[in-house]
Amino acid sequence: MNRITFAALGLYLSLTLGGIRPAISQDAARGSIIEDRAARKLLEAGDARLEADEASKAVEIWQSVLERYPSSRVRFEAHIRLGNHFLERERAYDKARVQFEEVASEENRDQDQRAEATLRMGVCFYEARNFGKCFSVMRDVIEHFPVSRQVNQAYYYIGLGHFQLGHYSRAIDALEKVGTSMGENDSQLEKVEAGKRLFVKIEDADLAALEPGTPVIVQCETSGGDVEQVKCFPVGRNVRIVLGSIVTTLGVPQKNSGLLEVKGDDTVKVVYIDQHTADKSFNRQVLHQATIVGDGVVSITDGAFAETLQGVVLGKAINIQTNDPDRDMTDAADQIEVTVEVHRAKTDEEIEQESIAILAADGDADLDENGQPKIERYKKIDEINVVLSEVVVETIRPVDKVAPAGDSVASPADGASAVPADNTAAATDAVAGAATDSPADAANDTVHSGVFRAAVSLVRAEEVVAGDAVLQALPGDLVRVTYRDERNSGEGLLIVKGEARCIEGNLGGVRVTRTEISDRELRVGTRLKTAHALTNIATRYKEFGLKRNADAKYQSALVLCEDIMTEARQLGGRLLEETYVQLWKIYFEMDRLELAAAMAQRLQQEFPNSGFVDDALLQLADVAVSQGNLNRAIGLYNRLVNMKTSQLRGEAQFGVAECYERMAEASPEAGAQQLYDRAFQEFKKVFDQFPDSGRVGEAVARMANYYYRQKDYARAIDTFETVLANHPDAKFLDVILFNYGRCLYRMDRRADARRRFDQLIGDYPESALAEDARKISEALARAGT
């Protein structure tokens, strides 16, 4: 079975030959229907508060969902919202993870929610730089939700984590898997959004026979007459999957131009010739067809139609612009219609009377978070229908280039599919805007932009004149433009709106002359965020070896933190705590370890209940190790191990074991064995007491090294195989493979030993052991192994 997939900006279209979509099972109801509906209303009320930039109030409302409706299945959505808020806004990774853990539990029967929550748990560990645990959780996503859209993102974060750790071969291996996993519902998409990049993915077992670098040619044809060839290349090391792309643009068809010119009512057909099918047929055409669509966007703009405005001036024109590529149906200027309304706030008396009427008529009315009937706060006072005409828009014609694979996903052999490009493909879509006008179009006097514009008069008036072409309004009224998008990338009718407030005066000539922030707490918080951003930028420079750039950014961040220290001390509380944390991180990154240790110590003393205390202890211990004070480091690590609520206990236990191993390596041979034995027992504690720790794989590997030193090669091999099978993200896998090969050689299994040395050379060519492995492998080959 073969499958073709193609997509545009996250819309992946696929055709499965001979497939039936499985029925979706219904969740068992846990709360009553009434409870679920009430919880849903409360959840939406929190969403509204968040949109109004009242984040703290939104959090309170979401938490009240959990308190009031603990058995409703809507509670899982509240947990997700809380988790996302703590993760993205407050950077409180432990608090966020607790919320996601609730959603990921087996009690929740929504598999997509569980997959997303598990992924977000891994993101929390990634952001906290606990990469070992991040790898473990992301592997759980891949193993337990293999057909979910989150699989590609899991590979993405695994790749980023290895990159942060400097494991570049493993980073490449993981990132190459992004876009090679397919969700179970991805084959249902049959629309291409005009102006976006179209991805084509083919899965065919026969592709394994292709020579490296040989492209697979796929033909894209439009009903408007354009024909383009798309070259598809292997995805990573998976030679059975090839991926290609082409930019779509509105315009007059020009064959073999490198761009797929379309118009609003076109269909796109993709043709692939399968030279040898599973049923022994030859040169069979595999087709897929999709419809061109576009998602409408409405905006109220300035006179140049360049910027979206939030206010319109009474006595002047309202400039309306709508982008909808699929309404470009002909070579002439097409037209669409929108509705423009003026809404005025209701008085308190009107709202009260309406509430009484609703409660009297319907005792089961929709209620807000305060238990009051939900009432539209504005009333419509004027309305007109406006015809917008398509205009020529001067833009840069997109230049096609091969886009990186997105989160398209692969399924079994000889199939094909794709999913939205959440991580890697999105950046390439910027080259193809919906409003594109080519030189050929201009020469033919055609209009292919998908951009529609018109202007409407707005006057100040108390009385509304019905039926005229002018809108009457007062200051404070709301102008609302509504467009009904019947053909879009989703299902059914899409209602698109744009709003602006009526004001008096003039919007032009506004300049910012003073940007000083008067509120002390806001000023300190703003500078802390700036310091945090500078530190992150510096860290990226440092990772790429740009030391001078990194030092400059670290110094800038340090100056900011030192400038606000006096004010932070006066304000105290959370801001002082965050200032200590930021300073400690900056000092540590700048290798000013004494100052980093002092700041971590101060944080621990002044904020003993801080969520950063365990991080501070761990870093204090790491500083002690770097200074050679191993006994002090062991004491600090043990204090962290005894903190029952810390998520870093496994990390600390591994640190204890590593300290004893360092002591053994530095000790005379007579006393070293006792220290090696102690280190072995401490590594074993990581495995026994902290099985969920991200350090388990490394601990088991160190145990295997112990067996090797003891010449217990059989047990060492068993342990090495456990690490390779169950901990693919463990550190020093190159060392493990090298010692594994040595053990096999000692047991006279020379062919197996050579295979392990060759695996090290192939998987970790940048390893310091690669050259030694190559010499050993060549020696074994000369010996006839």
Side-chain angles (χ1 to χ4, degrees):
M1 181 175 68
N2 299 316
R3 193 186 300 162
I4 293 181
T5 302
F6 60 118
L9 187 60
L11 292 179
Y12 283 76
L13 311 156
S14 62
L15 172 70
T16 304
L17 305 181
I20 300 177
R21 184 181 179 181
I24 300 175
S25 62
Q26 297 295 325
D27 288 342
R30 292 201 170 273
S32 68
I33 296 175
I34 295 176
E35 274 196 347
D36 284 349
R37 187 168 66 175
R40 175 74 59 190
K41 292 175 183 175
L42 202 55
L43 192 73
E44 291 172 352
D47 295 344
R49 292 298 183 121
L50 187 66
E51 290 177 4
D53 204 23
E54 299 178 17
S56 60
K57 185 63 177 177
V59 169
E60 290 178 13
I61 295 173
W62 292 332
Q63 288 173 336
S64 70
V65 174
L66 308 179
E67 296 166 1
R68 295 188 194 180
Y69 310 104
S71 61
S72 170
R73 57 188 173 185
V74 178
R75 73 186 187 276
F76 294 120
E77 296 182 46
H79 280 300
I80 289 176
R81 283 165 169 76
L82 287 167
N84 286 335
H85 173 82
F86 293 138
L87 171 61
E88 296 168 2
R89 293 201 173 207
E90 296 188 9
R91 303 200 305 273
Y93 306 125
D94 288 341
K95 290 173 67 176
R97 190 166 37 76
V98 169
Q99 302 295 330
F100 294 130
E101 285 173 350
E102 291 292 330
V103 183
S105 66
E106 294 184 1
E107 187 179 2
N108 184 4
R109 298 187 181 183
D110 188 322
Q111 293 299 305
D112 189 64
Q113 282 186 356
R114 292 184 61 201
E116 180 66 20
T118 307
L119 177 78
R120 302 297 277 174
M121 287 165 54
V123 174
C124 290
F125 285 118
Y126 174 83
E127 295 294 345
R129 302 186 71 81
N130 187 347
F131 299 119
K133 188 60 179 174
C134 171
F135 295 145
S136 176
V137 174
M138 293 303 181
R139 294 288 179 188
D140 286 343
V141 173
I142 296 167
E143 180 180 352
H144 298 149
F145 309 99
V147 295
S148 72
R149 58 186 174 82
Q150 287 80 12
V151 167
N152 295 290
Q153 296 179 64
Y155 279 125
Y156 177 71
Y157 277 103
I158 290 172
L160 290 186
H162 281 304
F163 178 81
Q164 297 283 358
L165 294 171
H167 304 160
Y168 301 121
S169 293
R170 275 181 278 177
I172 291 170
D173 183 63
L175 292 173
E176 283 181 338
K177 290 184 173 69
V178 175
T180 62
S181 178
M182 176 186 174
E184 55 188 356
N185 295 325
D186 296 328
S187 61
Q188 306 305 313
L189 299 173
E190 296 183 347
K191 299 178 181 179
V192 175
E193 192 172 355
K196 307 301 181 182
R197 183 173 287 275
L198 178 76
F199 288 89
V200 180
K201 186 173 81 170
I202 298 176
E203 298 177 10
D204 190 344
D206 298 337
L207 299 177
L210 289 176
E211 291 293 327
T214 304
V216 174
I217 306 298
V218 174
Q219 184 163 292
C220 293
E221 305 171 2
T222 71
S223 57
D226 197 9
V227 178
E228 301 293 339
Q229 304 289 329
V230 178
K231 292 182 178 181
C232 302
F233 294 90
V235 177
R237 299 171 186 171
N238 192 340
V239 293
R240 303 193 328 179
I241 302 174
V242 293
L243 181 69
S245 71
I246 187 170
V247 173
T248 66
T249 181
L250 296 173
V252 176
Q254 302 177 57
K255 293 184 180 181
N256 300 317
S257 65
L259 297 172
L260 193 65
E261 284 94 359
V262 298
K263 62 180 188 301
D265 58 350
D266 274 357
T267 56
V268 178
K269 181 172 67 175
V270 174
V271 181
Y272 164 63
I273 304 299
D274 187 0
Q275 297 181 353
H276 187 197
T277 65
D279 60 2
K280 300 183 180 179
S281 300
F282 294 91
N283 296 329
R284 176 186 294 175
Q285 275 196 349
V286 183
L287 308 177
H288 185 73
Q289 187 166 296
T291 305
I292 293 294
V293 298
D295 288 337
V297 177
V298 172
S299 56
I300 297 173
T301 72
D302 59 9
F305 294 94
E307 296 184 9
T308 300
L309 302 179
Q310 301 300 317
V312 290
V313 179
L314 293 171
K316 296 194 175 183
I318 304 172
N319 300 297
I320 303 169
Q321 177 172 287
T322 299
N323 295 58
D324 192 1
D326 64 24
R327 293 302 301 270
D328 174 43
M329 311 285 284
T330 68
D331 288 341
D334 297 287
Q335 294 182 331
I336 63 173
E337 186 176 277
V338 300
T339 301
V340 186
E341 302 169 341
V342 175
H343 291 255
R344 185 167 297 163
K346 295 176 182 176
T347 64
D348 292 340
E349 291 77 9
E350 288 174 326
I351 292 173
E352 183 178 352
Q353 290 175 4
E354 193 171 340
S355 298
I356 294 172
I358 291 174
L359 292 173
D362 184 5
D364 192 27
D366 287 349
L367 304 178
D368 61 19
E369 69 268 22
N370 298 317
Q372 298 299 316
K374 279 189 175 180
I375 296 174
E376 175 60 48
R377 300 286 169 174
Y378 289 84
K379 58 184 178 183
K380 183 171 67 176
I381 64 169
D382 200 2
E383 172 185 351
I384 61 172
N385 292 325
V386 180
V387 175
L388 279 62
S389 297
E390 189 176 16
V391 298
V392 175
V393 178
E394 295 296 336
T395 59
I396 298 174
R397 186 172 177 83
V399 179
D400 192 21
K401 58 184 177 182
V402 176
D407 281 359
S408 45
V409 261
S411 54
D414 285 348
S417 61
V419 296
D422 290 336
N423 292 315
T424 55
T428 64
D429 298 317
V431 300
T436 305
D437 189 36
S438 70
D441 293 341
N444 295 327
D445 294 326
T446 59
V447 180
H448 291 290
S449 67
V451 178
F452 302 83
R453 293 172 180 168
V456 181
S457 296
L458 176 69
V459 299
R460 173 171 181 151
E462 295 280 353
E463 299 295 329
V464 175
V465 180
D468 63 354
V470 178
L471 291 172
Q472 289 87 23
L474 292 174
D477 287 350
L478 192 68
V479 174
R480 179 177 296 162
V481 181
T482 303
Y483 171 59
R484 297 169 61 85
D485 188 0
E486 297 178 354
R487 301 172 69 237
N488 54 78
S489 59
E491 297 295 332
L493 179 66
L494 176 64
I495 305 296
V496 187
K497 297 181 180 180
E499 295 181 347
R501 186 77 59 184
C502 295
I503 62 173
E504 288 187 296
N506 198 322
L507 292 177
V510 178
R511 292 185 302 148
V512 177
T513 58
R514 190 163 179 254
T515 58
E516 182 179 347
I517 302 173
S518 59
D519 184 274
R520 294 174 64 201
E521 186 171 341
L522 179 59
R523 180 167 60 252
V524 172
T526 301
R527 293 199 172 191
L528 271 175
K529 290 181 179 179
T530 305
H532 176 77
L534 287 169
T535 304
N536 285 341
I537 294 171
T539 302
R540 297 297 175 268
Y541 279 136
K542 185 178 178 181
E543 289 167 355
F544 286 102
L546 303 173
K547 187 176 185 305
R548 181 180 300 175
N549 303 69
D551 289 344
K553 294 298 181 184
Y554 282 134
Q555 190 61 41
S556 298
L558 183 60
V559 169
L560 275 174
C561 288
E562 290 176 342
D563 284 348
I564 62 173
M565 177 57 78
T566 302
E567 282 188 290
R569 282 188 174 283
Q570 293 171 354
L571 292 168
R574 179 182 59 83
L575 287 175
L576 180 59
E577 176 188 353
E578 291 184 1
T579 304
Y580 284 163
V581 172
Q582 194 61 50
L583 278 169
W584 139 47
K585 290 181 177 179
I586 294 170
Y587 286 138
F588 189 81
E589 293 292 347
M590 295 179 73
D591 293 327
R592 298 167 71 172
L593 301 183
E594 290 291 346
L595 291 174
M599 195 55 64
Q601 189 74 32
R602 183 179 297 180
L603 173 70
Q604 183 186 356
Q605 291 172 352
E606 297 186 26
F607 298 95
N609 297 321
S610 169
F612 295 100
V613 165
D614 51 356
D615 290 283
L617 275 175
L618 185 63
Q619 204 161 74
L620 280 171
D622 291 344
V623 170
V625 170
S626 65
Q627 295 173 337
N629 194 344
L630 298 179
N631 286 318
R632 172 174 164 74
I634 290 173
L636 291 168
Y637 284 133
N638 279 325
R639 284 176 59 187
L640 183 51
V641 170
N642 294 327
M643 293 176 63
K644 302 299 182 184
T645 59
S646 175
Q647 297 294 320
L648 299 176
R649 297 174 67 205
E651 189 83 16
Q653 180 59 54
F654 184 86
V656 171
E658 205 167 31
C659 284
Y660 281 115
E661 189 175 67
R662 286 172 179 253
M663 289 179 176
E665 292 169 352
S667 296
E669 189 172 347
Q673 187 55 49
Q674 186 176 357
L675 290 170
Y676 276 124
D677 293 343
R678 178 63 184 272
F680 175 83
Q681 295 301 323
E682 298 297 335
F683 282 126
K684 192 171 184 298
K685 286 181 183 178
V686 179
F687 180 80
D688 294 336
Q689 299 178 17
F690 307 101
D692 294 330
S693 167
R695 290 287 198 167
V696 169
E698 295 168 65
V700 175
R702 299 295 183 88
M703 292 164 62
N705 288 340
Y706 174 82
Y707 290 134
Y708 179 81
R709 281 193 297 268
Q710 299 294 108
K711 298 184 180 180
D712 189 347
Y713 301 126
R715 293 181 71 178
I717 287 174
D718 289 341
T719 310
F720 284 137
E721 288 176 347
T722 299
V723 176
L724 293 173
N726 300 327
H727 305 282
D729 299 298
K731 288 184 179 179
F732 313 119
L733 283 184
D734 54 338
V735 178
I736 291 171
L737 286 169
F738 190 78
N739 288 338
Y740 191 0
R742 292 166 67 191
C743 286
L744 291 168
Y745 180 83
R746 297 282 185 181
M747 297 181 70
D748 205 28
R749 295 168 55 183
R750 300 192 176 189
D752 292 334
R754 184 185 173 194
R755 278 194 291 271
R756 290 302 175 183
F757 290 125
D758 289 342
Q759 183 182 351
L760 188 159
I761 297 166
D763 292 350
Y764 307 99
E766 79 283 0
S767 169
L769 295 172
E771 185 60 32
D772 290 338
R774 182 176 289 103
K775 292 177 181 178
I776 296 172
S777 178
E778 290 172 354
L780 290 171
R782 287 195 297 270
T785 301

